[in-house]
Coordinates of all heavy atoms in Angstrom, one line a residue:
C36 N -10.0 -32.1 -21.5 CA -9.9 -30.9 -20.7 C -9.8 -29.7 -21.5 O -9.3 -29.7 -22.7 CB -8.6 -31.0 -19.8 SG -8.5 -32.4 -18.7
C37 N -10.4 -28.6 -21.0 CA -10.3 -27.3 -21.7 C -10.0 -26.2 -20.6 O -9.9 -26.7 -19.4 CB -11.6 -26.9 -22.4 SG -12.0 -28.1 -23.7
A38 N -9.9 -25.0 -20.9 CA -9.5 -23.9 -20.0 C -10.8 -23.4 -19.4 O -11.9 -23.5 -20.0 CB -8.8 -22.9 -20.6
A39 N -10.7 -22.7 -18.3 CA -11.8 -22.0 -17.6 C -12.5 -21.0 -18.6 O -11.8 -20.4 -19.3 CB -11.4 -21.3 -16.4
N40 N -13.8 -21.0 -18.5 CA -14.6 -20.1 -19.3 C -14.8 -20.5 -20.8 O -15.4 -19.9 -21.6 CB -14.1 -18.7 -19.3 CG -14.2 -18.1 -17.9 OD1 -15.1 -18.2 -17.2 ND2 -13.0 -17.5 -17.5
D41 N -14.2 -21.7 -21.1 CA -14.3 -22.2 -22.5 C -15.3 -23.3 -22.6 O -15.6 -23.9 -21.6 CB -12.9 -22.6 -23.0 CG -12.0 -21.4 -23.3 OD1 -12.5 -20.2 -23.2 OD2 -10.8 -21.5 -23.5
A42 N -15.7 -23.6 -23.9 CA -16.6 -24.7 -24.1 C -15.9 -26.0 -24.5 O -14.9 -25.9 -25.2 CB -17.7 -24.3 -25.2
C43 N -16.6 -27.1 -24.1 CA -16.0 -28.4 -24.4 C -16.9 -29.0 -25.4 O -18.1 -29.2 -25.2 CB -16.0 -29.3 -23.2 SG -15.0 -28.7 -21.8
Y44 N -16.4 -29.6 -26.5 CA -17.1 -30.3 -27.5 C -17.0 -31.8 -27.3 O -16.0 -32.2 -26.8 CB -16.6 -30.0 -29.0 CG -17.1 -28.6 -29.4 CD1 -16.3 -27.5 -29.2 CD2 -18.3 -28.5 -30.2 CE1 -16.8 -26.2 -29.7 CE2 -18.7 -27.2 -30.6 CZ -17.9 -26.1 -30.4 OH -18.3 -24.8 -30.9
E45 N -18.0 -32.5 -27.9 CA -18.0 -34.0 -27.7 C -16.8 -34.6 -28.4 O -16.4 -35.7 -28.1 CB -19.2 -34.6 -28.1 CG -19.5 -34.4 -29.7 CD -20.7 -35.1 -30.2 OE1 -21.3 -36.0 -29.4 OE2 -21.3 -34.8 -31.2
S46 N -16.2 -33.8 -29.4 CA -15.0 -34.4 -30.0 C -13.7 -34.3 -29.3 O -12.7 -34.8 -29.6 CB -14.8 -33.6 -31.3 OG -14.7 -32.3 -31.1
G47 N -13.8 -33.6 -28.1 CA -12.6 -33.3 -27.3 C -12.0 -32.0 -27.6 O -11.0 -31.6 -26.9
A48 N -12.5 -31.3 -28.6 CA -12.0 -29.9 -29.0 C -12.7 -28.9 -28.0 O -13.6 -29.1 -27.3 CB -12.4 -29.5 -30.4
C49 N -11.9 -27.8 -27.9 CA -12.3 -26.7 -27.0 C -12.6 -25.5 -27.8 O -12.0 -25.3 -28.9 CB -11.3 -26.4 -26.0 SG -10.6 -27.8 -25.0
F50 N -13.5 -24.6 -27.3 CA -13.8 -23.4 -28.0 C -13.5 -22.2 -27.0 O -14.1 -22.1 -25.9 CB -15.3 -23.2 -28.3 CG -15.7 -22.1 -29.0 CD1 -15.5 -22.0 -30.5 CD2 -16.3 -21.0 -28.4 CE1 -15.9 -20.8 -31.2 CE2 -16.7 -19.9 -29.1 CZ -16.5 -19.8 -30.5
Q51 N -12.5 -21.4 -27.4 CA -12.0 -20.3 -26.5 C -13.1 -19.1 -26.6 O -13.4 -18.6 -27.6 CB -10.7 -19.7 -27.0 CG -10.0 -18.9 -26.1 CD -8.6 -18.5 -26.6 OE1 -8.5 -18.0 -27.7 NE2 -7.6 -18.6 -25.8
D52 N -13.6 -18.8 -25.4 CA -14.7 -17.9 -25.3 C -14.4 -16.5 -25.9 O -15.2 -16.0 -26.6 CB -15.1 -17.7 -23.7 CG -16.2 -16.8 -23.5 OD1 -17.3 -16.9 -24.0 OD2 -15.8 -15.7 -22.9
W53 N -13.3 -16.0 -25.5 CA -13.1 -14.5 -25.9 C -12.6 -14.4 -27.3 O -12.8 -13.2 -27.9 CB -12.1 -13.9 -24.9 CG -10.7 -14.5 -24.9 CD1 -10.2 -15.5 -24.3 CD2 -9.6 -14.0 -25.8 NE1 -8.9 -15.8 -24.6 CE2 -8.5 -14.8 -25.5 CE3 -9.5 -13.0 -26.6 CZ2 -7.3 -14.7 -26.1 CZ3 -8.2 -12.8 -27.2 CH2 -7.1 -13.6 -27.0
S54 N -12.0 -15.3 -27.9 CA -11.5 -15.2 -29.3 C -12.4 -15.9 -30.3 O -12.2 -15.5 -31.5 CB -10.1 -15.8 -29.3 OG -10.1 -17.1 -29.2
G55 N -13.3 -16.8 -29.9 CA -14.1 -17.5 -30.9 C -13.3 -18.5 -31.7 O -13.6 -18.7 -32.9
I56 N -12.3 -19.0 -31.2 CA -11.3 -19.9 -31.8 C -11.3 -21.4 -31.1 O -11.5 -21.4 -29.9 CB -9.9 -19.4 -31.9 CG1 -9.9 -18.1 -32.8 CG2 -9.0 -20.3 -32.6 CD1 -8.6 -17.4 -32.9
M57 N -11.1 -22.3 -31.9 CA -11.0 -23.7 -31.3 C -9.5 -24.2 -31.2 O -8.7 -23.7 -31.8 CB -11.8 -24.7 -32.2 CG -13.3 -24.4 -32.2 SD -14.3 -25.6 -33.0 CE -14.4 -26.8 -31.7
Y58 N -9.4 -25.2 -30.2 CA -8.1 -25.7 -30.0 C -8.2 -27.1 -29.4 O -9.3 -27.5 -28.8 CB -7.3 -24.8 -29.0 CG -8.0 -24.6 -27.7 CD1 -7.7 -25.4 -26.6 CD2 -9.0 -23.6 -27.5 CE1 -8.2 -25.2 -25.3 CE2 -9.6 -23.4 -26.3 CZ -9.2 -24.2 -25.2 OH -9.9 -24.1 -24.0
R59 N -7.1 -27.8 -29.5 CA -7.0 -29.1 -28.7 C -6.2 -28.9 -27.5 O -5.1 -28.4 -27.6 CB -6.4 -30.1 -29.7 CG -6.4 -31.6 -29.0 CD -5.2 -31.9 -28.2 NE -3.9 -31.9 -28.8 CZ -2.8 -31.5 -28.3 NH1 -2.8 -31.1 -27.0 NH2 -1.7 -31.4 -28.9
Q60 N -6.7 -29.3 -26.4 CA -6.0 -29.0 -25.1 C -5.4 -30.3 -24.5 O -4.3 -30.8 -24.9 CB -6.9 -28.3 -24.1 CG -6.2 -27.7 -22.9 CD -5.1 -26.6 -23.3 OE1 -5.0 -26.2 -24.3 NE2 -4.4 -26.2 -22.3
S61 N -6.0 -30.9 -23.5 CA -5.4 -31.9 -22.8 C -6.4 -32.9 -22.4 O -7.6 -32.9 -22.7 CB -4.7 -31.3 -21.6 OG -5.6 -30.5 -20.8
C62 N -6.0 -33.9 -21.5 CA -6.9 -35.0 -21.1 C -6.5 -35.5 -19.8 O -5.3 -35.4 -19.4 CB -6.8 -36.1 -22.1 SG -8.0 -37.5 -21.8
T63 N -7.4 -36.1 -19.0 CA -7.1 -36.6 -17.6 C -6.4 -37.9 -17.8 O -5.8 -38.4 -16.7 CB -8.3 -36.8 -16.8 OG1 -9.2 -37.6 -17.4 CG2 -9.0 -35.4 -16.5
D64 N -6.4 -38.6 -18.9 CA -5.6 -39.8 -19.1 C -4.2 -39.4 -19.7 O -4.2 -39.0 -20.9 CB -6.3 -40.8 -20.1 CG -5.5 -42.0 -20.4 OD1 -4.5 -42.2 -19.8 OD2 -5.9 -42.7 -21.4
P65 N -3.1 -39.6 -18.9 CA -1.8 -39.1 -19.5 C -1.4 -39.8 -20.7 O -0.5 -39.4 -21.4 CB -0.9 -39.3 -18.3 CG -1.6 -40.3 -17.3 CD -3.1 -40.0 -17.6
S66 N -1.9 -41.1 -20.9 CA -1.6 -41.8 -22.1 C -2.3 -41.4 -23.4 O -2.0 -41.8 -24.5 CB -1.8 -43.3 -21.8 OG -3.2 -43.6 -21.9
F67 N -3.4 -40.6 -23.2 CA -4.3 -40.2 -24.2 C -4.9 -41.4 -25.0 O -5.3 -41.2 -26.1 CB -3.5 -39.3 -25.3 CG -3.7 -37.8 -25.1 CD1 -3.3 -37.2 -23.9 CD2 -4.5 -37.1 -26.0 CE1 -3.6 -35.8 -23.8 CE2 -4.8 -35.8 -25.9 CZ -4.3 -35.1 -24.7
R68 N -5.0 -42.5 -24.3 CA -5.6 -43.8 -25.0 C -7.1 -43.8 -24.7 O -7.8 -44.5 -25.3 CB -4.9 -45.0 -24.5 CG -3.5 -45.0 -25.0 CD -2.7 -46.3 -24.4 NE -1.4 -46.3 -24.8 CZ -0.5 -47.2 -24.4 NH1 -0.9 -48.1 -23.4 NH2 0.8 -47.2 -24.8
D69 N -7.6 -43.2 -23.6 CA -9.0 -43.2 -23.3 C -9.8 -42.6 -24.5 O -9.5 -41.6 -25.0 CB -9.4 -42.5 -22.0 CG -10.7 -42.8 -21.5 OD1 -11.7 -42.2 -22.0 OD2 -10.9 -43.6 -20.6
P70 N -11.0 -43.1 -24.9 CA -11.8 -42.7 -25.9 C -12.3 -41.2 -25.7 O -12.6 -40.5 -26.6 CB -13.0 -43.6 -26.0 CG -12.5 -44.9 -25.4 CD -11.5 -44.5 -24.3
A71 N -12.3 -40.8 -24.4 CA -12.7 -39.4 -24.2 C -11.6 -38.3 -24.5 O -12.0 -37.2 -24.6 CB -13.1 -39.2 -22.6
C72 N -10.5 -38.8 -24.6 CA -9.4 -37.8 -25.0 C -9.5 -37.4 -26.5 O -10.0 -38.1 -27.3 CB -8.0 -38.5 -24.8 SG -7.7 -39.0 -23.1
P73 N -9.1 -36.2 -26.8 CA -9.2 -35.7 -28.1 C -8.2 -36.5 -29.0 O -7.2 -36.8 -28.6 CB -8.8 -34.2 -28.0 CG -8.1 -34.0 -26.7 CD -8.6 -35.1 -25.8
R74 N -8.7 -36.7 -30.3 CA -7.9 -37.6 -31.2 C -7.4 -36.7 -32.3 O -7.2 -37.2 -33.4 CB -8.8 -38.7 -31.8 CG -9.5 -39.5 -30.7 CD -8.6 -40.0 -29.7 NE -7.4 -40.7 -30.2 CZ -6.3 -41.0 -29.4 NH1 -6.2 -40.7 -28.1 NH2 -5.3 -41.6 -30.0
I75 N -7.3 -35.4 -32.2 CA -6.9 -34.5 -33.2 C -5.6 -33.8 -32.8 O -5.4 -33.6 -31.6 CB -8.0 -33.5 -33.5 CG1 -8.6 -32.9 -32.3 CG2 -9.2 -34.1 -34.3 CD1 -9.5 -31.8 -32.5

Side-chain angles (χ1 to χ4, degrees):
C36 300
C37 295
N40 300 313
D41 291 348
C43 303
Y44 284 90
E45 63 177 342
S46 62
C49 306
F50 183 83
Q51 193 176 54
D52 175 66
W53 64 273
S54 71
I56 298 178
M57 296 188 77
Y58 58 96
R59 188 273 296 149
Q60 190 64 6
S61 52
C62 186
T63 60
D64 175 11
S66 73
F67 258 68
R68 293 176 180 172
D69 191 281
C72 296
R74 309 309 306 163
I75 50 178

